[in-house]
Amino acid sequence: MPKIRNAAIHGYGVYIPMFRIKGAELAKVWGKNASDLPVKEKAVAGLDEDTVTMAVEASKYALKRAGVDASSISAVHVGTESKPYAVKPSGTLVAEILGTSRKTTSADLEFACKAGTEAVQFITALVEAGRIDYGLAIGADTAQGRPGDALEYTAASGAAALVIGPAKNDCVAKFDYSVSFVTDTPDFWRRSYERYPVHASRFTGEPAYFHHTISAVNTILSENGYSVNDIDYFVFHQPNVKFPLAVAKVLSIPTSKVVPGLVADMVGNTYAACSMVALAKILDIASPGQRILATSYGSGAGSDSFVLTVCDGILEKRNRAPTYTELLSRRKEIDYSTYLKYRDKIRM
Amino acid sequence: MKPLTSRPPFYWRLRPFIYRLEGSRCSVCGHFHPLNRVVCRRCGSRTLERERLNNAGRLVNYTVVHQAQEGFEKTTPYLVGWVEMDDGTNLVGQLTDCDPQDLKVGMTIEMVVRKLRVDGDSNLIVYGVKFRPLVQR
Ligand SMILES: [Zn+2]
């Protein structure tokens, strides 16, 4: 599958809003048993936050790490399923707020939870082709679950951004290979003008998340002559904590290579940002020379998988902006009624 | 003053300052002005250069607003802070991601861009500068 010859992460940034609601609080409201919840708690965007503001925060940290001035950025692609506007790009707003070059490609991408890694596919290709020097690939979402629905426990808010440019010695990690694997699968969707998505429980696990995630991982490993042993960290999309661990079991991946990249337990499922936030969490701790396999999953359905090698630049650059753990420690717990207000579920 | 509604062109003109704290600095006396200016308000000089303020500063003082200006009713009570940016420029703006008990006069703050309000009739989302306690590294 496609070898990526000359594209690398120069900077990465995460943003996690400070408000958290516990799974137990949601379970209490809906009379559910709090002992078997998909995640412990989830991050909730504040009243003045949305996909654009969170994308900007993550991008500012990514630019800071990269040491690249915003004016050198000439592609801004935001992957999201919660655009503030149905029509009006989020990318141009993000670009204007950051002060990127005017000569910038910009489009919002939609592919449920893999829209962010779809932006990575685009921007690595633009860089490799020599069309741009640097671009921003962003995954950001303020995911919404219908009150009382199973998704309400996990649908969270967050963002992650990567500054991608040509492979150089001082980069954070270089891309080696990528693969995309898609089929038409009706596991989750939201029609125009609908506020909340519909999910077909029958499809959620086996034919959707597991089939695409495992197919992408197997393809990228076998076609490039890698085995599980050649990879130091595996990063997955996380609709909950069980799913990525189940994939690890199927593929005989030691849990020690998966657990460091788990984020859903404390942040929830940040949709298009999820696997990118998890990748950032690994970049906070990985050493030069280590190999990461990052795989997203988006309903509808498909997975993007990337093999990356961590480079020397990581050691200095990771300290230039707040880490995943530092952002996570900024925490204010809210109750269900505050949550309803923040997520605009109270309509007057 | 005109009611705060349906003014997309007004916010559009403010973008350099409310998105990025860009303005003009007087080369003679050093005074910083939001947006583009031809003549310095302080000394009358006509040599001004475009500049973007550093996004950090310190909190000089703050107040809690309970009686909201039109368009901000949903967010009351909210905090308004007086901040001195690193270059000495004084700005006033909303504080976010904090409660009064989190604030200390003199603390380091940083500029963030947030949703300020939704423009009445047009439903346009207005984004702009707010301040918050610096996210610690
Ligand atoms: Zn002057």
Side-chain angles (χ1 to χ4, degrees), chain A residues 244 261 279 336:
Chain A
L279 173 62
Y336 191 71

Side-chain angles (χ1 to χ4, degrees), chain B residues 26-31 33 40-45:
Chain B
C26 173
S27 315
V28 177
C29 76
H31 190 68
H33 313 71
C40 173
R41 277 168 74 158
R42 193 201 264 165
C43 77
S45 116

Side-chain angles (χ1 to χ4, degrees), chain A residues 282-347:
Chain A
I282 293 297
L283 292 172
D284 282 344
I285 57 162
S287 310
Q290 286 191 315
R291 210 174 270 136
I292 304 169
L293 199 162
T295 307
S296 61
Y297 170 74
S299 291
S303 285
D304 290 311
S305 213
F306 301 91
V307 173
L308 299 109
T309 305
V310 180
C311 300
D312 293 339
I314 186 87
L315 297 175
E316 195 243 326
K317 287 182 172 174
R318 67 161 59 121
N319 299 317
R320 293 181 182 171
T323 60
Y324 165 83
T325 311
E326 283 161 344
L327 286 159
L328 198 66
S329 67
R330 216 174 60 105
R331 177 183 181 278
K332 193 181 166 200
E333 198 177 318
I334 56 172
D335 58 15
Y336 191 71
S337 39
T338 309
Y339 166 75
L340 291 181
K341 181 181 171 188
Y342 283 8
R343 296 316 304 132
D344 199 25
K345 291 173 203 286
I346 303 175
R347 297 266 160 130

Side-chain angles (χ1 to χ4, degrees), chain A residues 176-193:
Chain A
D176 298 323
Y177 295 96
S178 85
V179 65
S180 276
F181 182 91
V182 305
T183 70
D184 170 30
T185 305
D187 57 330
F188 171 99
W189 60 89
R190 177 164 63 83
R191 297 288 306 271
S192 300
Y193 309 110

Side-chain angles (χ1 to χ4, degrees), chain A residues 49-67:
Chain A
E49 297 185 285
D50 65 13
T51 291
V52 166
T53 67
M54 296 192 306
V56 166
E57 302 229 24
S59 300
K60 282 185 177 174
Y61 290 147
L63 286 165
K64 215 168 165 186
R65 281 204 174 91

Side-chain angles (χ1 to χ4, degrees), chain A residues 105-163:
Chain A
T105 64
S106 181
D108 295 356
L109 303 170
E110 193 280 314
F111 195 144
C113 298
K114 97 168 177 86
T117 56
E118 215 40 273
V120 176
Q121 299 278 28
F122 279 35
I123 292 189
T124 49
L126 285 170
V127 168
E128 266 192 286
R131 294 267 297 270
I132 61 168
D133 286 332
Y134 294 101
L136 265 168
I138 304 166
D141 260 313
T142 52
Q144 294 269 32
R146 186 187 298 278
D149 187 274
L151 287 176
E152 196 182 23
Y153 290 93
T154 53
S157 306
L162 301 175
V163 172

